[in-house]
Amino acid sequence: MPVDYLSRLTDHQRTARSNLHLGMVLAFVAGALNAGGFLAIGLYTSHMTGLISMVADEIVLGQFVLAISAVLAVGSFVSGAATTALLVNYSHRRWPRHPYIPSLLLEAALLLIFGLVGRRLLQHEIVSLSMTAILLCFAMGLQNALITKISNAEIRTTHLTGLLTDIGIELGKMFYWNRTADVPGEQRVQANLAKLHIHVRLVICFFVGGLCGALGFKYVGFVTTVPLALTLVTLALANLIRPGSQSR
């Protein structure tokens, strides 16, 4: 049943399959927000490497206001990740059957706020960083920390540098020529095809999400995030209403 399947994506009892499928959904959301958000505010809100580099560049160029705004964006991302850690750890004690629901619902609420009043938030700034950018950076930190905790750091969804690096490593192993056939199995260079498969699927989901987000923001606007928020709400509610979810 659809409800049963969806509920397993956020269930407290994890499997590799549920981790992957949830990661794919969240990678799609992250791609849509990252690409679409850039069209809306001119900033890739999950690209912390670029923002840290921006801080260094602007300091050297004497643009201290811009450097401070980049620091605020990074701080917002870190705050989002810290919020997830607080919510998940608290929920594990209070609601052990549904430890990930509060973080999902909070991210959904943030995306609804962005979709419904994001354009108005652009008019309000802290230093030179819009409240919209702060909200998106916070949401991205929240989401990346959530899937990191759920999958025990096996899956990340808001940045691709690590994923593409791992893909390159596994491809290098795949094409490596083990010259002698008598090399013991543990010494042979072999690609981890399962790991490669997971990372390729996550990258594809992020890219497809980016296309959808960019098209949505170009032709529809900020309300593009509303379906994304409803997707997260659906995942959360499916876990709550699944038969037997309170008594397992």
Side-chain angles (χ1 to χ4, degrees):
M1 294 178 60
V3 172
D4 185 69
Y5 167 74
L6 291 174
S7 69
R8 292 187 185 281
L9 298 188
T10 55
D11 194 60
H12 68 291
Q13 296 177 335
R14 308 303 304 164
T15 66
R17 181 173 182 266
S18 61
N19 284 344
L20 173 59
H21 288 190
L22 178 61
M24 290 170 65
V25 173
L26 295 183
F28 179 92
V29 172
L33 290 176
N34 207 40
F38 181 81
L39 294 184
I41 61 176
L43 181 70
Y44 289 118
T45 52
S46 69
H47 187 36
M48 294 300 106
T49 303
L51 285 174
I52 293 292
S53 297
M54 179 180 172
V55 174
D57 289 339
E58 300 302 347
I59 289 176
V60 171
L61 294 173
Q63 302 292 331
F64 297 110
V65 173
L66 293 178
I68 293 173
S69 68
V71 169
L72 289 174
V74 173
S76 180
F77 185 94
V78 173
S79 297
T83 299
T84 285
L86 290 170
L87 287 174
V88 171
N89 288 321
Y90 179 78
S91 300
H92 266 300
R93 294 186 177 184
R94 293 296 303 272
W95 309 291
R97 303 291 182 183
H98 313 289
Y100 310 116
I101 303 306
S103 294
L104 279 174
L105 292 177
L106 176 57
E107 183 180 358
L110 293 175
L111 297 188
L112 282 175
I113 292 172
F114 179 82
L116 298 177
V117 298
R119 190 175 298 277
R120 297 181 184 178
L121 291 177
L122 283 174
Q123 304 171 11
H124 304 281
E125 296 181 342
I126 297 179
V127 187
S128 63
L129 187 69
S130 72
M131 293 299 297
T132 304
I134 291 175
L135 185 151
L136 277 186
C137 287
F138 184 91
M140 288 294 90
L142 187 85
Q143 175 177 305
N144 203 43
L146 178 62
I147 190 60
T148 299
K149 288 187 70 66
I150 285 178
S151 68
N152 291 321
E154 293 179 357
I155 294 177
R156 312 265 177 154
T157 60
T158 63
H159 59 278
L160 302 186
T161 303
L163 292 178
L164 291 173
T165 300
D166 287 341
I167 288 173
I169 290 172
E170 298 307 325
L171 288 176
K173 292 179 181 179
M174 182 184 298
F175 294 113
Y176 183 84
W177 179 29
N178 292 284
R179 294 186 177 183
T180 56
D182 58 348
V183 175
E186 65 274 8
Q187 296 181 17
R188 294 177 65 84
V189 177
Q190 295 178 318
N192 187 333
L193 296 182
K195 183 177 181 181
L196 179 62
H197 180 255
I198 289 172
H199 290 170
V200 168
R201 292 178 72 174
L202 291 173
V203 171
I204 291 174
C205 287
F206 188 96
F207 175 72
V208 173
L211 285 178
C212 294
L215 288 170
F217 273 85
K218 181 178 179 179
Y219 294 107
V220 181
F222 284 81
V223 293
T224 299
T225 62
V226 173
L228 302 177
L230 295 179
T231 298
L232 299 181
V233 171
T234 300
L235 290 175
L237 292 182
N239 186 270
L240 291 174
I241 67 176
R242 180 186 178 189
S245 64
Q246 302 297 328
S247 58
R248 280 176 300 165

